[in-house]
Amino acid sequence: MKRVKLTIAYDGTSYHGWQIQPNAVTVEGVINEKLSELCQEEIKVIGASRTDAGVHAYGNVAVFDTNSSIPAERFPLALNRMLPTNIRVQSGIEVPGDFHPRHCDSIKTYQYHIFNSRIPIPTNRLYSYHFHWDLDLEAMKQAAQYFIGEHDFKSFCSTKTQVQDTTRTIYSLELEQKGEEILLTIRGNGFLYNMVRIITGTLLQVGTGHYKPEQIKEMIDSKDRTKAGACAPAHGLFLVGIAYPELEKTLSQKTEREETC
């Protein structure tokens, strides 16, 4: 028995999110089905991030246990032949049996794409949020700084969240404009349900002048969802990748030992 870690990219447009749901097509469900067929045994992956319906990913992570003789690094090639074209496995690697993608320390990176123009571009409609109001990008950048650090983000998560601890650490939050596109990139040790989308929606309201940048601190301190801004639509959000520093260190040390033998 071995544990395999997969890095997975997908277009979330046609899926009801990552997590398996009754009577709905999900990314996790499709991957379980194809992996079980490939390995000739029942496979149930453990996903790192349970992205919502319509959210996309360049690098979500999932692990599974298998008795298959297929080497871990061969799973992408074998599995991609079976998967629909809107899901692709980017890499496969064998990891320690106790590695859990949601319980191990990680650094997650998300990006939100905003298309700021009067008229939408049809080819962007599934992968960016068309926002036609004028935006003050400098005010948004000022507001973004208030999110950095360790805070209780209860004001910036869905009221449906079931977790007890709503404290998270944001390492960086950057806004970059290229032409009519504004790209928000956020890195942290974890994110609550709808947290990135609510932060984005709130920053957009700062950009229109609805809120002042310094009000972000008041929102955070209030720990009240009604004090923060709107939740931006799902289709502009991308899970860029998830890094596991301790796992990467362990695997690097293992490779070095093998090379010296």
Side-chain angles (χ1 to χ4, degrees):
M1 179 76 70
K2 62 175 177 278
R3 175 158 289 196
V4 177
K5 170 179 169 286
L6 301 178
T7 300
I8 304 164
Y10 48 86
D11 178 339
T13 305
S14 302
Y15 296 98
H16 286 76
W18 168 271
Q19 191 173 11
I20 288 178
Q21 301 175 42
N23 305 314
V25 180
T26 67
V27 179
E28 182 181 26
V30 171
I31 291 172
N32 282 349
E33 177 187 347
K34 299 306 180 183
L35 267 175
S36 297
E37 183 180 341
L38 177 64
C39 298
Q40 294 297 295
E41 59 182 330
E42 185 178 10
I43 300 290
K44 292 184 178 179
V45 300
I46 302 171
S49 184
R50 300 165 179 170
T51 54
D52 292 338
V55 174
H56 316 291
Y58 297 126
N60 203 348
V61 168
V63 301
F64 65 96
D65 297 320
T66 181
N67 290 306
S68 172
S69 60
I70 300 173
E73 62 273 13
R74 297 290 295 175
F75 271 100
L77 181 62
L79 195 54
N80 285 338
R81 291 172 176 169
M82 306 170 70
L83 287 168
T85 55
N86 53 16
I87 302 176
R88 279 294 174 265
V89 179
Q90 303 296 302
S91 67
I93 188 170
E94 187 171 349
V95 294
D98 61 352
F99 172 75
H100 193 293
R102 291 200 299 273
H103 298 162
C104 294
D105 290 342
S106 65
I107 301 172
K108 294 184 178 180
T109 302
Y110 280 90
Q111 289 184 334
Y112 197 95
H113 295 252
I114 302 157
F115 193 71
N116 188 213
S117 70
R118 291 296 178 189
I119 305 299
I121 300 297
T123 52
N124 290 348
R125 74 191 190 283
L126 301 179
Y127 310 107
S128 65
Y129 174 33
H130 176 243
F131 195 84
H132 70 267
W133 288 277
D134 292 337
L135 290 170
D136 183 341
L137 189 62
E138 289 307 311
M140 294 170 68
K141 288 181 177 179
Q142 291 174 31
Q145 298 308 302
Y146 288 96
F147 290 107
I148 297 174
E150 183 179 87
H151 304 287
D152 186 335
F153 284 99
K154 190 172 183 178
S155 299
F156 291 88
C157 68
S158 169
T159 54
K160 297 179 181 179
T161 188
Q162 298 176 349
V163 300
Q164 299 299 314
D165 183 9
T166 50
T167 298
R168 298 292 186 273
T169 300
I170 300 301
Y171 301 124
S172 64
L173 202 175
E174 300 172 351
L175 289 154
E176 180 183 10
Q177 184 164 15
K178 293 182 178 179
E180 295 175 309
E181 182 178 56
I182 297 173
L183 182 64
L184 180 153
T185 304
I186 186 168
R187 296 172 66 249
N189 67 351
F191 295 91
L192 302 164
Y193 184 40
N194 285 348
M195 179 174 161
V196 178
R197 291 167 56 192
I198 295 170
I199 287 175
T200 301
T202 302
L203 288 175
L204 285 170
Q205 289 179 276
V206 170
T208 61
H210 184 78
Y211 297 124
K212 295 179 180 179
E214 55 269 24
Q215 287 183 264
I216 299 297
K217 185 179 186 305
E218 299 171 13
M219 295 176 191
I220 294 173
D221 291 343
S222 73
K223 301 176 187 176
D224 182 349
R225 173 67 190 95
T226 65
K227 302 297 184 184
C231 183
H235 62 272
L237 184 61
F238 288 73
L239 172 56
V240 176
I242 307 172
Y244 295 93
E246 286 301 316
L247 174 65
E248 291 162 12
K249 180 180 177 181
T250 298
L251 295 177
S252 177
Q253 290 173 343
K254 179 183 177 184
T255 300
E256 289 177 0
R257 287 195 302 269
E258 291 172 348
E259 289 176 349
T260 56
C261 293

